[in-house]
Amino acid sequence: MEHGPAIPVASEPDAFLQSQSQERVGAGLPAVKLLNTGQDAFLARAALIETANQRIDAQYYIWNDDDSGRYLASRLVAAADRGVVIRLLLDDINVAGKESLFALLDAHANIRVRIFNPSRSRDGFGRWLSFIADFDRINRRMHNKTFVVDGLVGIAGGRNIGDEYFDQHPTLNFRDRDVLVLGPLAGDMTANFEAYWDSPWTLPLAELYPKPEQAQPKLSALIESAASRHYHIEPPGNRQTARGYLETLFANTVSAPAELVFDPPPEDPDAPAEAPQRTAQALYDLVEDARSEILIESAYLILTDNQLKAVDGIGNGRLEVAALTNSLATNDLVTNHSGYARWRRAMLEQGIELHELRPDAPACQRWVAASAACDGGEVSLHSKAVVFDRETLFIGSFNVNLRSIYLNGETVLVIKSPELAGAVADDIRYAMEPRNSWRVELNGQDELVWRSEGQEVQHEPEVGFWRRAMSRMLSWLPIEKYL
């Protein structure tokens, strides 16, 4: 090992985190807090890394090699230097091009990196060819996003690791949500993590990429380089500052009944994915119990005949369903939008109220800490939450689409709290206002129209002809399960 022998690991979790967890977790109920902005989400993760004393388990679909990704990676190295054991678990689909960063981390004696469901070929044309040859297996992805420190504090939600998730990107930032938890739910997140860590479909990174030479000076340079950069959001500089930030954060948690639901890794990824997974079934159960209102906030939204049957009470006055998703102008993936567009009319005919986010939504100023990025850029929806009767919140990595229902591993929290559910419901309704979103409807001629602030458009607004044409052509293909 270039970085020397492993530093002895602390036998106990951090005393501050222990005392905070004991203090906040009352009457056996977990303490939870929404992380609504990228700023809060970034600072919470950064502060938890500084405070960790025993171990950090991080599980992500995407970890970008950008300023945010390298900063958090550098602090993981610093934590490993003081004896914290780091386990980093990544899905393979987004590792290409960033492998040098992860191989460098894996060279540290106290850091282990593993990759879920890797392709057999690692680069170039062969990598893409393996996606085609192993189509069923490669489509089973680990979309889970969890971050657990000392087994006491966890974060789960929709955010990956990267500038656009943490209000740090100069032109395009995501509206997203996470939930911070203290108490037994953090242990449940660890069980989720270990199910994938120990899966036979997960391989050590060292079996896929060679270890870098001269790792120790490169690890030191990573820490120094990240510390010298300017960030729109100033991270905590030391453990004392981090604890002060976390103490304020923890003081604003809410005690509420909550459950973590996650999809276990597939036993046989080559087998057909025909049954809804555990997280999807939890969503179906909540839909069945809904009395009056369901509010959906989903970056990628695809409901086909099977799912629409589950909400057949719409239109008879029993149940109102309203959904916020990306417009073609704000969607980062035209392919995903095409699947939504294929079923948009059916959703409207079922009685679902549809709203599509505007790229120039003034809500960006509320959601994104770097307001200059709103002035000169765009905002896109990446959050995934469903609110039932303003009483129950379903939130996590689960998009309301077929990929999350059948193919991806997902993690969600089901929180029974009128306070939190009401707050998210108010946020969704605010985002649905005409200044922030277009409402999509069928006019008197049974044509799709987009309405906002007294204006009406009869095609996908704020995008050029070719983007509209590409989405339309892709919408003719029955590929929505894989989007």
Side-chain angles (χ1 to χ4, degrees):
M1 289 286 179
E2 285 287 346
H3 211 57
I7 298 169
V9 178
S11 59
E12 296 291 333
D14 178 71
F16 166 77
L17 294 182
Q18 279 186 312
S19 64
Q20 287 291 314
S21 180
Q22 292 167 358
E23 180 181 346
R24 306 297 174 191
V25 179
L29 296 177
V32 296
K33 177 174 173 53
L34 292 172
L35 301 177
N36 272 324
T37 68
Q39 173 174 274
D40 287 344
F42 177 75
L43 290 176
R45 287 168 172 84
L48 285 170
I49 293 173
E50 300 304 320
T51 310
N53 194 57
Q54 190 176 44
R55 72 178 192 270
I56 297 173
D57 293 331
Q59 176 185 24
Y60 282 97
Y61 182 62
I62 298 172
W63 189 301
N64 283 337
D65 186 2
D66 56 12
D67 285 350
S68 298
R70 292 183 73 82
Y71 176 81
L72 293 176
S74 76
R75 300 320 300 163
L76 290 179
V77 173
D81 280 345
R82 64 175 187 266
V84 179
V85 170
I86 312 294
R87 295 190 296 177
L88 179 58
L89 178 57
L90 300 168
D91 187 82
D92 183 55
I93 204 74
N94 291 290
V95 167
K98 307 156 194 169
E99 55 269 36
S100 60
L101 174 63
F102 305 134
L104 180 60
L105 296 180
D106 194 53
H108 194 293
N110 278 349
I111 301 178
R112 289 292 174 268
V113 182
R114 290 190 180 183
I115 306 298
F116 176 73
N117 199 11
S119 61
R120 292 183 172 87
S121 181
R122 301 310 303 157
D123 51 33
F125 179 74
R127 181 173 172 85
W128 292 106
L129 188 61
S130 70
F131 289 168
I132 298 172
D134 293 337
F135 185 78
D136 287 332
R137 179 178 70 85
I138 292 299
N139 266 291
R140 306 300 291 270
R141 303 317 324 168
M142 184 192 76
H143 197 237
N144 317 58
K145 305 160 176 65
T146 63
F147 188 90
V148 185
V149 173
D150 285 1
L152 295 170
V153 185
I155 297 174
R159 287 185 178 90
N160 295 295
I161 304 297
D163 289 349
E164 61 269 36
Y165 302 96
F166 296 133
D167 299 353
Q168 302 268 19
H169 199 281
T171 58
L172 176 63
N173 289 278
F174 285 128
R175 165 54 163 166
D176 220 328
R177 296 182 195 275
D178 290 320
V179 180
L180 179 141
V181 306
L182 291 89
L185 283 180
D188 294 341
M189 288 184 195
T190 299
N192 168 21
F193 177 93
E194 291 184 339
Y196 283 84
W197 185 262
D198 295 331
S199 167
W201 300 100
T202 300
L203 295 181
L205 183 109
E207 293 186 17
L208 303 171
Y209 299 105
K211 289 186 180 294
E213 298 180 359
Q214 302 286 320
Q216 183 170 353
K218 292 178 181 177
L219 287 163
S220 300
L222 175 64
I223 294 176
E224 294 170 4
S225 173
S228 66
R229 295 191 65 82
H230 170 73
Y231 300 93
H232 294 300
I233 303 163
E234 191 63 32
N238 53 51
R239 179 172 284 198
Q240 182 177 355
T241 304
R243 285 177 172 174
Y245 174 80
L246 290 174
E247 191 166 14
T248 301
L249 199 66
F250 296 158
N252 292 302
T253 56
V254 173
S255 294
E259 175 190 8
L260 184 85
V261 183
F262 70 90
D263 301 317
E267 294 182 5
D268 179 9
D270 289 314
E274 297 176 345
Q277 300 188 98
R278 188 185 296 171
T279 52
Q281 192 56 57
L283 179 62
Y284 288 173
D285 292 344
L286 290 168
V287 169
E288 187 173 336
D289 292 339
R291 302 185 306 276
S292 60
E293 181 188 61
I294 300 174
L295 293 177
I296 301 169
E297 180 183 55
S298 184
Y300 312 123
L301 175 66
I302 301 175
L303 295 175
T304 64
D305 288 335
N306 288 339
Q307 293 76 45
L308 291 172
K309 289 176 184 176
V311 286
D312 60 5
I314 306 172
N316 62 13
R318 183 184 77 84
L319 188 63
E320 177 185 359
V321 179
L324 172 70
T325 191
N326 276 303
S327 62
L328 181 56
T330 63
N331 203 316
D332 60 326
L333 296 169
V334 175
T335 50
N336 287 42
H337 186 84
S338 72
Y340 158 72
R342 178 181 174 88
W343 287 93
R344 180 166 43 199
R345 175 178 289 272
M347 287 188 275
L348 290 170
E349 290 174 345
Q350 185 73 4
I352 296 176
E353 180 185 315
L354 290 181
H355 299 260
E356 298 180 4
L357 185 67
R358 296 175 57 133
D360 59 348
C364 182
Q365 297 287 347
R366 178 188 291 191
W367 298 336
V368 177
S371 59
C374 296
D375 296 336
E378 297 178 353
V379 64
S380 178
L381 190 70
H382 195 263
S383 50
K384 307 113 176 27
V386 187
V387 182
F388 298 88
D389 301 323
R390 292 181 173 252
E391 294 177 353
T392 302
L393 176 61
F394 177 95
I395 183 169
S397 66
F398 187 102
N399 287 298
V400 182
N401 69 355
L402 303 192
R403 172 165 280 283
S404 287
I405 291 171
Y406 295 104
L407 292 168
N408 284 348
E410 305 286 1
T411 304
V412 298
L413 287 159
V414 180
I415 306 170
K416 297 185 180 301
S417 166
E419 180 179 346
L420 296 186
V424 174
D426 288 343
D427 282 348
I428 294 173
R429 283 299 188 186
Y430 167 69
M432 289 175 173
E433 291 179 4
R435 56 183 168 159
N436 293 315
S437 297
W438 293 290
R439 180 164 179 175
V440 189
E441 298 178 296
L442 295 171
N443 66 11
Q445 290 75 47
D446 199 37
E447 299 168 328
L448 286 172
V449 293
W450 285 256
R451 294 180 173 134
S452 177
E453 296 190 308
Q455 297 181 333
E456 182 176 301
V457 181
Q458 294 185 330
H459 58 71
E460 307 260 16
E462 298 295 324
V463 291
F465 169 80
W466 288 113
R467 189 172 176 89
R468 294 200 304 270
M470 182 183 300
S471 176
R472 178 179 290 274
M473 287 187 291
L474 289 170
S475 73
W476 297 337
L477 304 176
I479 57 174
E480 54 267 39
K481 185 175 180 179
Y482 305 102
L483 302 176

